[in-house]
Amino acid sequence: MNAITGQIQNFIEDLRGAGISVSPGSVEECYRSLILTEWSSEAVFYTILFCTLLKESAFIAIFQEIYNRHFHYFKINQPESEEEFRRLNAINFNIIGFGQANSGKKSDQEGQKNNNHQSYQRQVDSKNHYKDLFALDFYTATYSASVEDIRKMEQLIPLLGKRMASKMIIKKRRHQTGNFDFRRTIRSSMSTGGVPMEILVRKKVREKPVIFALCDVSWSCLHFSYFSLSLVYLLEKFYRQARSFAFIDETDEITSIIKRESHSHLRPKVLTEANVCGNSGYTNYGQSLSSFYNQYGKDLSHKSYVLIFGDARTNWFGTNPYVLKDIQRRVKRVYWFNPEPKDEWGSGDSEILIYKKYCTRVFECCNLGQLAQAISDIV
Amino acid sequence: MEEIKMIKEKMYRAGYICDDGSATVLFLAEQLHKPILVEGPAGVGKTSIAQAFARMKELPLIRLQCYEGIDEPRALYEWNYKKQLLHIQAVANQNLDVSEVEKEIFSESFLLSRPLLQAITSAERACLLIDEIDKVDFEFEAMLLELLSEFQVTLPELGTVQARHIPFVFLTSNATRELSEALKRRCLYLYLDFPRAEIEKMILELRVPHLSHKLSGKLVETLHQIRQMNLRKQPSIAEGIDWAFSLLAMGKEDISTDVIMETLNVILKYHEDINQVRTSFAKA
Ligand SMILES: Nc1ncnc2c1ncn2[C@@H]1O[C@H](COP(=O)(O)OP(=O)(O)OP(=O)(O)O)[C@@H](O)[C@H]1O
Ligand SMILES: [Mg+2]
């Protein structure tokens, strides 16, 4: 077993590498807690790291995995009994070298130095082991990321939801402060002999936008569609009027599926239950847009926001840009979220540059981080 | 370990089952004088850990239930406007000096203390539970952060009020939104999840008198099976307790699949969840 401090330092570096922010204050607190407590079981040790270093439930799975990797020796040296754990515990204290009885011994200090050096070396080696999942692009995620990474990315989705919710609260507050309602206050003071016992304010009514979200669920957007559907699932919770649609070469409403299913089940349910495949089964943006507009165009109004999630890869089918133009004229905003990097826009069968003319904004969303940023820009 | 074992035992006597993890967080919060931020699914004991802790320490529990739109007058303090008005009316024709009257009506006897002010001014140390903090808005959160860092508040009319005792603070959150980094940094983080089977069995037996080991074991086993399924809303500890009470009331000592089927509505809230569990138990 190596110096536990160095090991904890490595562990923290890996947490940071995976996108978990750990402040220096938290690190200090973690060490203080380790000294204060006798680690009578692994649960105690684990909890100390957990409660001081982690503050966000969306990262629990990532935290656990990194923990298991670093503190595997608990598993290998499986302390069978409490006695055994106490023995390990005693060794740990010596190695930390804090305040315990024989920590001042020279050999210990030397040992510590060596270990620190070793652990630095290891730190350099393992630097790139943990990817920041917010920065992992959807394309790589689809084709080469491990199932584990994808599972962990999925668990970050609720975090996006929480960020959105936070943002909405700020906005709501800004709009909420009502004005003093002079007439009602005076009128209600009649019953108390003209003394205004109740101060009344006017409540502001804020128009809630109606969201229309369209998701490309075809093969080329495979992984992105997974995340865009989850995102729409979140939107559904924040705007009471959020309607969602999926398309490949035919558009169908999926609002009820989204309401019903948990976000991890969405994609397969949409593919089996919604009518998104027309004749060809290949992505066809022109046809899908027309299909959307013909079926649901009548519901669009100046209160609507249209959000389109897709790569605008048209398979050389028609683009029907005039449909998007008509849509844009009827609604308040059109936002497009494109999972491809900007340099590829317009190359090959990508028609995003044509559609761009009729969008309020087009966002590059290659990874979760960008997607989160884009969403927070519009809510 | 002595301290953590002791906390577990004392919490047990206060009516709450701690595992090593939650006992460790309680221990550290006390040592480091830090608030605890408790998160986790609904009905896993976030509120009751604070209540039990107060009982264990024999301290008064002051609870601030947060809700959307809660503001300082509701949480911190408020001037008793009606009483002030009545006072002004009463002294209106006594020809008093205006500044005298003003001083009078902004004195402590016209002050309505709300939970946060109560918690820091109470004569003995208190345990402050700020429940469902994720419901508040940002200005309110900033005010809380300041209070939890300085343990003092400034009332424009009365000056600064310093805490007499630093209260034990629990904040609970259902994580519907992200809290500010600064607030999270102030706190130790306790994540309560659905408990392991043996812990949940202990909880049931503690909360539900006359429950046999056999029945509690079977209940927990079934609950855990059900939580494996992909449901809209998983049954929590709270529902498990309700379930045990209803079965006892029905005089069931053993639960067969039939009994489970009949009583699913006690633990599941959604019709489609009930159906899903029925189908899966029918197959088994
Ligand atoms: N560890 C435990 N020991 C004893 N009782 C428990 C424990 N955990 C939960 N309970 C019981 O479960 C029920 C639900 O707990 P509580 O109300 O504290 O949950 P909560 O997490 O605050 O839920 P919500 O998110 O709905 O506010 C209570 O009756 C409580 O007594
Ligand atoms: Mg609660």
Side-chain angles (χ1 to χ4, degrees):
Chain A
M1 196 164 45
N2 293 308
I4 195 93
T5 33
Q7 205 152 351
I8 290 171
Q9 201 55 48
N10 287 344
F11 171 68
I12 291 168
E13 287 311 319
D14 275 351
L15 292 179
R16 288 181 173 144
I20 301 178
S21 82
V22 180
S23 71
S26 303
V27 177
E28 197 195 307
E29 205 162 271
C30 175
Y31 284 126
R32 272 186 67 195
S33 307
L34 285 169
I35 298 166
L36 278 170
T37 323
E38 196 185 322
W39 320 336
S40 54
S41 69
E42 185 184 355
V44 173
F45 177 75
Y46 177 82
T47 303
I48 292 173
L49 301 190
F50 186 95
C51 78
T52 53
L53 302 176
L54 186 79
K55 311 273 152 126
E56 175 54 65
S57 59
F59 288 114
I60 290 178
I62 298 174
F63 183 94
Q64 272 168 357
E65 196 213 281
I66 299 180
Y67 174 89
N68 285 340
R69 221 179 90 82
H70 281 263
F71 301 102
H72 196 56
Y73 64 79
F74 279 129
K75 306 275 178 311
I76 297 170
N77 302 3
Q78 197 55 258
E80 282 296 330
S81 61
E82 208 168 291
E83 281 311 301
E84 173 69 1
F85 205 95
R86 273 168 206 277
R87 202 181 54 75
L88 277 176
N89 179 23
I91 302 172
N92 287 340
F93 268 108
N94 286 343
I95 295 168
I96 283 194
F98 294 120
Q100 276 322 83
N102 52 0
S103 65
K105 277 190 190 162
K106 196 154 182 247
S107 59
D108 272 357
Q109 282 178 353
E110 302 262 281
Q112 171 110 30
K113 237 191 240 155
N114 279 338
N115 280 327
N116 274 349
H117 180 71
Q118 273 177 15
S119 66
Y120 175 74
Q121 206 45 48
R122 230 179 313 121
Q123 190 174 322
V124 173
D125 297 341
S126 72
K127 197 116 223 169
N128 296 322
H129 186 81
Y130 289 98
K131 315 167 205 65
D132 182 343
L133 295 175
F134 275 108
L136 184 64
D137 66 275
F138 292 124
Y139 187 81
T140 317
T142 316
Y143 294 103
S144 51
S146 68
V147 178
E148 275 299 290
D149 278 349
I150 292 174
R151 200 178 55 81
K152 276 179 262 145
M153 281 167 85
E154 289 166 15
Q155 285 177 338
L156 292 172
I157 294 276
L159 184 63
L160 299 191
K162 286 189 225 169
R163 294 221 167 124
M164 273 166 64
S166 307
K167 194 109 188 229
M168 307 258 285
I169 288 179
I170 299 182
K171 257 191 124 164
K172 209 159 108 199
R173 176 71 182 207
R174 240 181 255 142
H175 289 273
Q176 220 173 28
T177 25
N179 290 327
F180 174 54
D181 191 336
F182 185 75
R183 280 185 48 198
R184 280 176 58 226
T185 305
I186 291 299
R187 199 178 307 144
S188 91
S189 76
M190 297 303 192
S191 60
T192 47
V195 181
M197 295 293 260
E198 311 287 350
I199 303 288
L200 299 168
V201 293
R202 222 176 266 130
K203 279 234 166 62
K204 264 197 185 173
V205 192
R206 198 166 79 94
E207 264 191 6
K208 270 195 179 166
V210 182
I211 301 275
F212 287 79
L214 280 84
C215 299
D216 179 346
V217 292
S218 70
W219 185 247
S220 74
C221 284
L222 175 67
H223 218 74
F224 183 58
S225 73
Y226 182 85
F227 289 97
S228 54
L229 284 170
S230 302
L231 206 73
V232 171
Y233 171 82
L234 293 174
L235 287 173
E236 162 64 30
K237 291 191 171 161
F238 293 115
Y239 297 85
R240 211 160 297 130
Q241 305 119 299
R243 295 177 63 182
S244 12
F245 306 85
F247 64 89
I248 292 178
D249 60 340
E250 180 63 49
T251 308
D252 195 8
E253 178 152 9
I254 55 170
T255 311
S256 62
I257 303 181
I258 288 203
K259 277 204 176 121
R260 194 183 65 216
E261 297 297 329
S262 80
H263 75 96
S264 52
H265 279 168
L266 274 177
R267 209 188 119 85
K269 285 284 176 193
V270 166
L271 287 180
T272 50
E273 289 182 22
N275 178 26
V276 292
C277 282
N279 297 326
S280 71
Y282 293 104
T283 327
N284 185 330
Y285 272 79
Q287 195 168 308
S288 299
L289 280 174
S290 300
S291 155
F292 169 72
Y293 194 58
N294 293 337
Q295 294 178 75
Y296 311 103
K298 59 183 186 315
D299 301 337
L300 297 171
S301 77
H302 65 282
K303 280 195 249 169
S304 317
Y305 279 31
V306 172
L307 317 182
I308 303 173
F309 298 87
D311 57 7
R313 293 264 160 207
T314 58
N315 287 316
W316 311 108
F317 289 119
T319 46
N320 301 3
Y322 54 89
V323 180
L324 192 59
K325 191 173 172 188
D326 282 347
I327 293 176
Q328 189 205 21
R329 260 203 232 114
R330 299 191 59 161
V331 305
K332 192 157 182 186
R333 305 253 196 281
V334 177
Y335 293 114
W336 195 300
F337 303 85
N338 192 333
E340 289 197 327
K342 262 199 177 120
D343 338 334
E344 286 168 33
W345 294 5
S347 73
D349 61 344
S350 161
E351 302 290 7
I352 188 68
L353 299 179
I354 293 179
Y355 288 129
K356 194 166 183 257
K357 290 184 218 146
Y358 309 111
C359 293
T360 319
R361 244 181 111 176
V362 180
F363 294 94
E364 176 189 29
C365 297
C366 306
N367 56 44
L368 262 187
Q370 284 179 332
L371 189 58
Q373 186 58 47
I375 288 294
S376 86
D377 281 357
I378 67 159
V379 295
Chain B
M1 116 151 281
E2 301 326 311
E3 287 114 333
I4 291 195
K5 232 183 209 155
M6 208 146 73
I7 289 179
K8 281 163 69 173
E9 266 171 41
K10 284 197 196 156
M11 284 294 279
Y12 178 82
R13 267 180 264 137
Y16 192 90
I17 309 283
C18 280
D19 58 9
D20 278 2
S22 48
T24 304
V25 179
L26 293 178
F27 170 71
L28 289 174
E30 206 175 340
Q31 296 292 317
L32 303 169
H33 304 287
K34 296 206 86 180
I36 302 179
L37 170 64
V38 196
E39 275 191 355
V44 289
K46 298 187 291 297
T47 305
S48 41
I49 194 172
Q51 292 167 329
F53 185 82
R55 264 196 309 272
M56 173 180 95
K57 291 266 156 204
E58 296 180 351
L59 294 177
L61 178 77
I62 298 176
R63 178 170 180 172
L64 174 68
Q65 179 63 50
C66 299
Y67 50 88
E68 228 174 283
I70 189 172
D71 51 8
E72 286 188 25
R74 236 66 62 82
L76 195 54
Y77 75 97
E78 186 170 26
W79 290 104
N80 192 338
Y81 175 68
K82 289 186 182 173
K83 195 173 162 194
Q84 286 175 326
L85 268 183
L86 292 174
H87 186 80
I88 295 172
Q89 293 279 303
V91 301
N93 36 24
Q94 284 177 23
N95 240 342
L96 290 175
D97 186 16
V98 177
S99 64
E100 270 307 302
V101 178
E102 193 179 321
K103 214 167 145 197
E104 177 70 27
I105 62 172
F106 285 112
S107 66
E108 268 182 55
S109 55
F110 288 84
L111 191 69
L112 292 174
S113 275
R114 301 298 188 206
L116 294 179
L117 192 61
Q118 285 165 17
I120 65 168
T121 52
S122 106
E124 53 178 332
R125 194 170 184 196
C127 189
L128 172 64
L129 166 61
I130 304 176
D131 218 358
E132 311 198 1
I133 192 205
D134 48 337
K135 299 252 171 68
V136 311
D137 62 41
F138 278 77
E139 284 148 65
F140 193 85
E141 194 182 316
M143 184 274 288
L144 271 180
L145 177 64
E146 203 181 311
L147 184 79
L148 295 183
S149 323
E150 312 289 332
F151 288 102
Q152 62 175 40
V153 276
T154 303
L155 319 185
E157 302 86 355
L158 278 182
T160 302
V161 180
Q162 192 76 43
R164 289 209 231 167
H165 307 277
I166 308 268
F168 286 106
V169 184
F170 289 82
L171 304 122
T172 80
S173 157
N174 283 71
T176 56
R177 71 167 176 90
E178 219 184 357
L179 302 171
S180 76
E181 280 297 322
L183 184 71
K184 288 193 272 189
R185 244 181 280 129
R186 283 289 315 148
C187 303
L188 292 174
Y189 187 58
L190 173 60
Y191 188 83
L192 291 179
D193 210 339
F194 297 119
R196 281 177 289 127
E198 68 263 31
I199 298 274
E200 188 159 19
K201 193 161 172 286
M202 286 168 74
I203 297 175
L204 281 184
E205 286 170 12
L206 177 67
R207 311 286 323 178
V208 186
H210 314 302
L211 186 66
S212 69
H213 289 313
K214 190 173 157 213
L215 188 53
S216 67
K218 184 79 176 127
L219 279 173
V220 169
E221 188 191 323
T222 316
L223 279 171
H224 278 242
Q225 267 173 354
I226 293 176
R227 287 194 195 124
Q228 295 292 312
M229 301 176 195
N230 198 301
L231 301 176
R232 250 179 92 171
K233 167 130 191 359
Q234 298 194 319
S236 70
I237 302 178
E239 274 104 34
I241 294 175
D242 291 346
W243 203 21
F245 273 118
S246 359
L247 290 174
L248 280 188
M250 291 161 66
K252 306 278 180 199
E253 247 315 298
D254 189 13
I255 49 173
S256 59
T257 311
D258 283 345
V259 176
I260 297 176
M261 299 282 212
E262 283 161 26
T263 51
L264 277 180
N265 60 328
V266 181
I267 51 168
L268 296 171
K269 299 286 165 265
Y270 292 99
H271 200 66
E272 60 264 41
D273 286 354
I274 296 183
N275 284 342
Q276 192 186 331
V277 174
R278 281 226 170 98
T279 341
S280 115
F281 273 104
K283 267 186 232 148

XYZ file of all heavy atoms in Angstrom, chain A residues 324-372:
414
model
N -39.465 26.080 -44.142
C -38.885 26.650 -42.927
C -39.127 28.158 -42.897
O -39.383 28.749 -41.845
C -37.387 26.343 -42.855
C -36.751 26.638 -41.500
C -37.414 25.838 -40.385
C -35.252 26.373 -41.505
N -39.084 28.762 -44.092
C -39.333 30.200 -44.180
C -40.755 30.511 -43.704
O -40.969 31.446 -42.929
C -39.142 30.643 -45.628
C -39.114 32.136 -45.799
C -38.749 32.491 -47.237
C -38.911 33.969 -47.487
N -38.736 34.292 -48.913
N -41.708 29.709 -44.156
C -43.097 29.908 -43.712
C -43.217 29.739 -42.199
O -43.895 30.509 -41.529
C -44.029 28.888 -44.385
C -44.339 29.293 -45.820
O -44.034 30.451 -46.171
O -44.875 28.454 -46.570
N -42.534 28.702 -41.711
C -42.580 28.452 -40.268
C -42.035 29.663 -39.533
O -42.644 30.184 -38.606
C -41.773 27.186 -39.906
C -42.462 25.942 -40.480
C -41.598 27.062 -38.397
C -41.719 24.642 -40.262
N -40.870 30.125 -39.998
C -40.221 31.251 -39.324
C -41.131 32.469 -39.269
O -41.167 33.186 -38.279
C -38.914 31.606 -40.032
C -38.090 32.622 -39.255
C -37.151 33.423 -40.148
O -37.358 33.519 -41.359
N -36.119 33.991 -39.555
N -41.885 32.686 -40.334
C -42.768 33.851 -40.378
C -43.872 33.775 -39.335
O -44.312 34.766 -38.807
C -43.401 33.965 -41.767
C -42.688 34.998 -42.599
C -43.595 35.527 -43.691
N -42.877 35.400 -44.956
C -43.230 34.597 -45.932
N -44.321 33.842 -45.827
N -42.521 34.540 -47.028
N -44.290 32.549 -39.034
C -45.431 32.413 -38.123
C -45.053 32.380 -36.656
O -45.900 32.566 -35.799
C -46.184 31.109 -38.440
C -46.736 31.089 -39.830
C -47.668 29.941 -39.987
N -48.780 29.992 -39.042
C -49.892 29.326 -39.215
N -50.040 28.561 -40.275
N -50.853 29.394 -38.333
N -43.785 32.087 -36.368
C -43.433 31.858 -34.967
C -42.493 32.940 -34.442
O -42.023 33.792 -35.193
C -42.771 30.472 -34.768
C -43.657 29.378 -35.299
C -41.391 30.432 -35.402
N -42.225 32.872 -33.160
C -41.368 33.881 -32.544
C -39.889 33.606 -32.815
O -39.140 34.504 -33.143
C -41.625 33.907 -31.034
C -41.005 35.091 -30.335
C -41.718 35.392 -29.035
C -41.113 36.604 -28.367
N -41.700 36.831 -27.040
N -39.459 32.361 -32.641
C -38.043 32.027 -32.827
C -37.903 30.639 -33.453
O -38.691 29.744 -33.172
C -37.319 31.931 -31.484
C -37.425 33.141 -30.607
C -36.099 33.893 -30.571
N -36.070 34.823 -29.470
C -36.673 36.020 -29.488
N -37.348 36.423 -30.548
N -36.595 36.806 -28.424
N -36.857 30.504 -34.282
C -36.482 29.178 -34.765
C -35.030 28.943 -34.384
O -34.149 29.729 -34.744
C -36.609 29.074 -36.308
C -36.143 27.694 -36.775
C -38.035 29.332 -36.752
N -34.759 27.897 -33.597
C -33.375 27.568 -33.217
C -33.020 26.210 -33.782
O -33.818 25.287 -33.766
C -33.229 27.507 -31.697
C -33.393 28.840 -31.013
C -34.467 29.075 -30.160
C -32.457 29.861 -31.208
C -34.609 30.292 -29.514
C -32.598 31.081 -30.564
C -33.673 31.295 -29.717
O -33.820 32.495 -29.085
N -31.810 26.114 -34.280
C -31.337 24.841 -34.835
C -30.124 24.379 -34.048
O -29.216 25.172 -33.803
C -30.976 25.012 -36.315
C -30.828 23.698 -37.038
C -29.947 22.703 -36.750
C -31.596 23.252 -38.159
N -30.115 21.644 -37.615
C -31.113 21.959 -38.504
C -32.633 23.806 -38.922
C -31.637 21.223 -39.573
C -33.142 23.072 -39.982
C -32.655 21.786 -40.297
N -30.118 23.102 -33.657
C -28.999 22.547 -32.894
C -28.337 21.474 -33.736
O -28.929 20.437 -34.011
C -29.492 21.941 -31.581
C -30.227 22.939 -30.732
C -31.584 23.171 -30.924
C -29.551 23.671 -29.768
C -32.260 24.112 -30.164
C -30.215 24.615 -28.997
C -31.575 24.835 -29.195
N -27.113 21.747 -34.169
C -26.437 20.853 -35.098
C -25.286 20.120 -34.414
O -24.390 20.748 -33.870
C -25.918 21.678 -36.285
C -25.454 20.801 -37.423
O -25.047 19.650 -37.208
N -25.513 21.323 -38.627
N -25.312 18.773 -34.439
C -24.261 18.015 -33.758
C -22.933 17.988 -34.510
O -21.967 17.414 -34.023
C -24.853 16.605 -33.672
C -25.750 16.512 -34.847
C -26.307 17.890 -35.068
N -22.881 18.576 -35.719
C -21.624 18.530 -36.468
C -20.771 19.757 -36.181
O -21.297 20.842 -35.969
C -21.922 18.490 -37.974
C -22.510 17.170 -38.416
C -22.426 16.991 -39.925
O -22.521 17.998 -40.673
O -22.260 15.855 -40.345
N -19.443 19.585 -36.230
C -18.572 20.741 -36.042
C -18.759 21.747 -37.183
O -19.050 21.353 -38.325
C -17.160 20.159 -36.052
C -17.285 18.775 -36.581
C -18.689 18.328 -36.373
N -18.555 23.001 -36.875
C -18.821 24.076 -37.837
C -18.116 23.887 -39.178
O -18.695 24.181 -40.219
C -18.391 25.424 -37.242
C -19.523 26.190 -36.638
C -19.162 27.663 -36.484
C -20.365 28.400 -35.927
N -20.156 29.053 -34.658
N -16.867 23.370 -39.161
C -16.120 23.251 -40.436
C -16.822 22.331 -41.419
O -16.569 22.382 -42.603
C -14.697 22.683 -40.267
C -14.134 22.836 -38.899
O -14.586 23.790 -38.219
O -13.274 22.032 -38.512
N -17.665 21.450 -40.896
C -18.295 20.509 -41.818
C -19.637 20.982 -42.336
O -20.252 20.319 -43.170
C -18.425 19.136 -41.136
C -17.078 18.450 -41.042
C -17.105 17.241 -40.133
O -18.152 16.572 -40.070
O -16.068 16.979 -39.487
N -20.096 22.109 -41.825
C -21.379 22.614 -42.293
C -21.283 22.961 -43.771
O -20.359 23.642 -44.197
C -21.803 23.870 -41.514
C -22.095 23.599 -40.057
C -21.926 22.424 -39.405
C -22.582 24.532 -39.106
N -22.281 22.561 -38.084
C -22.690 23.848 -37.875
C -22.945 25.888 -39.153
C -23.135 24.464 -36.711
C -23.388 26.503 -37.997
C -23.484 25.791 -36.786
N -22.207 22.474 -44.549
C -22.236 22.797 -45.963
C -21.411 21.853 -46.814
O -21.479 21.883 -48.033
N -20.629 20.965 -46.187
C -19.865 20.017 -46.988
C -20.767 18.840 -47.350
O -21.666 18.482 -46.588
C -18.661 19.515 -46.191
O -19.113 18.636 -45.181
N -20.537 18.238 -48.515
C -21.332 17.080 -48.935
C -22.812 17.397 -48.946
O -23.228 18.430 -49.470
N -23.614 16.526 -48.323
C -25.058 16.741 -48.377
C -25.579 17.550 -47.183
O -26.767 17.535 -46.896
C -25.794 15.396 -48.470
C -25.532 14.507 -47.256
O -24.569 14.783 -46.513
O -26.300 13.546 -47.060
N -24.681 18.246 -46.483
C -25.138 19.088 -45.370
C -25.735 20.385 -45.905
O -25.060 21.156 -46.581
C -23.964 19.412 -44.440
O -24.279 20.536 -43.654
N -27.005 20.610 -45.614
C -27.665 21.799 -46.141
C -27.942 22.838 -45.055
O -28.812 23.686 -45.181
C -28.994 21.413 -46.811
C -28.846 20.405 -47.942
C -28.172 20.993 -49.184
O -27.706 22.147 -49.128
O -28.124 20.276 -50.201
N -27.177 22.752 -43.984
C -27.451 23.631 -42.852
C -27.332 25.107 -43.238
O -28.070 25.957 -42.728
C -26.530 23.288 -41.653
C -26.935 24.076 -40.397
C -25.074 23.540 -41.954
C -28.248 23.696 -39.819
N -26.422 25.402 -44.216
C -26.227 26.811 -44.560
C -27.464 27.401 -45.244
O -27.755 28.587 -45.109
C -24.982 26.964 -45.435
C -23.693 26.488 -44.732
C -22.484 26.627 -45.646
C -23.461 27.254 -43.428
N -28.205 26.542 -45.937
C -29.453 27.019 -46.543
C -30.500 27.271 -45.465
O -31.146 28.314 -45.424
C -29.968 25.981 -47.556
C -28.990 25.901 -48.733
C -31.381 26.338 -48.037
C -29.365 24.896 -49.786
N -30.626 26.317 -44.556
C -31.636 26.467 -43.494
C -31.297 27.619 -42.550
O -32.163 28.239 -41.962
C -31.745 25.165 -42.693
C -32.415 24.036 -43.444
C -31.823 22.783 -43.533
C -33.658 24.239 -44.060
C -32.443 21.742 -44.215
C -34.279 23.194 -44.740
C -33.675 21.945 -44.820
O -34.295 20.930 -45.485
N -30.007 27.863 -42.421
C -29.531 28.887 -41.481
C -30.213 30.233 -41.728
O -30.498 30.983 -40.787
C -28.017 29.026 -41.658
C -27.321 29.786 -40.555
C -25.809 29.570 -40.647
C -25.105 30.279 -39.493
N -24.463 31.500 -39.845
N -30.488 30.529 -43.003
C -31.105 31.818 -43.349
C -32.437 32.014 -42.649
O -32.871 33.129 -42.425
C -31.338 31.899 -44.860
C -30.071 32.031 -45.664
C -30.414 32.194 -47.143
C -29.394 31.434 -47.993
N -29.967 30.861 -49.205
N -33.091 30.915 -42.333
C -34.435 31.041 -41.756
C -34.457 30.696 -40.269
O -35.503 30.402 -39.712
C -35.420 30.167 -42.535
C -35.330 30.439 -44.015
C -34.823 29.500 -44.897
C -35.715 31.698 -44.521
C -34.696 29.775 -46.244
C -35.576 31.985 -45.863
C -35.064 31.021 -46.723
O -34.931 31.315 -48.044
N -33.278 30.701 -39.667
C -33.218 30.405 -38.240
C -32.819 31.656 -37.471
O -32.032 32.458 -37.957
C -32.163 29.336 -37.943
S -32.581 27.738 -38.612
N -33.363 31.800 -36.285
C -32.930 32.890 -35.423
C -31.465 32.681 -35.066
O -30.671 33.609 -35.038
C -33.765 32.904 -34.126
O -35.123 32.649 -34.454
C -33.632 34.219 -33.393
N -31.115 31.424 -34.799
C -29.736 31.081 -34.482
C -29.495 29.603 -34.753
O -30.394 28.787 -34.589
C -29.453 31.324 -33.008
C -28.418 32.402 -32.779
C -28.160 32.598 -31.326
N -26.814 32.140 -30.985
C -26.294 32.283 -29.761
N -27.014 32.818 -28.796
N -25.073 31.877 -29.510
N -28.261 29.294 -35.183
C -27.885 27.891 -35.313
C -26.748 27.636 -34.333
O -25.797 28.402 -34.268
C -27.398 27.555 -36.739
C -27.018 26.084 -36.833
C -28.474 27.886 -37.759
N -26.880 26.575 -33.536
C -25.844 26.270 -32.541
C -25.060 25.047 -32.965
O -25.625 24.071 -33.451
C -26.484 25.966 -31.187
C -27.175 27.130 -30.560
C -28.542 27.322 -30.744
C -26.471 28.035 -29.781
C -29.190 28.389 -30.159
C -27.115 29.107 -29.184
C -28.485 29.284 -29.370
N -23.744 25.134 -32.763
C -22.898 23.965 -32.952
C -22.953 23.177 -31.636
O -22.613 23.709 -30.580
C -21.467 24.441 -33.221
C -20.448 23.349 -33.350
C -19.015 23.931 -33.387
O -18.771 25.009 -32.804
O -18.150 23.290 -33.992
N -23.414 21.926 -31.696
C -23.556 21.138 -30.470
C -22.881 19.796 -30.617
O -23.533 18.768 -30.754
C -25.022 20.902 -30.151
S -25.933 22.394 -29.833
N -21.544 19.788 -30.631
C -20.834 18.533 -30.831
C -20.777 17.704 -29.567
O -20.498 16.513 -29.605
C -19.406 18.772 -31.273
S -19.284 19.815 -32.698
N -20.941 18.343 -28.430
C -20.820 17.592 -27.178
C -21.824 18.113 -26.158
O -22.489 19.124 -26.382
C -19.387 17.678 -26.644
C -18.945 19.124 -26.464
O -19.697 19.951 -25.949
N -17.737 19.433 -26.902
N -21.893 17.427 -25.057
C -22.854 17.793 -24.010
C -22.646 19.215 -23.510
O -23.601 19.942 -23.258
C -22.693 16.860 -22.811
C -23.627 15.678 -22.681
C -23.385 15.003 -21.343
C -25.078 16.126 -22.769
N -21.382 19.616 -23.392
C -21.079 20.954 -22.899
C -21.685 22.017 -23.788
O -22.339 22.953 -23.328
N -21.467 21.856 -25.110
C -22.011 22.837 -26.051
C -23.534 22.812 -26.061
O -24.184 23.848 -26.147
C -21.481 22.559 -27.462
C -20.049 23.000 -27.651
C -19.541 22.690 -29.049
O -20.006 21.731 -29.688
N -18.609 23.481 -29.541
N -24.075 21.619 -25.962
C -25.529 21.499 -25.951
C -26.094 22.217 -24.725
O -27.059 22.982 -24.808
C -25.915 20.019 -25.938
C -27.386 19.674 -26.144
C -27.891 20.209 -27.464
C -27.591 18.163 -26.104
N -25.432 22.010 -23.603
C -25.883 22.658 -22.368
C -25.806 24.175 -22.509
O -26.722 24.905 -22.118
C -25.019 22.206 -21.202
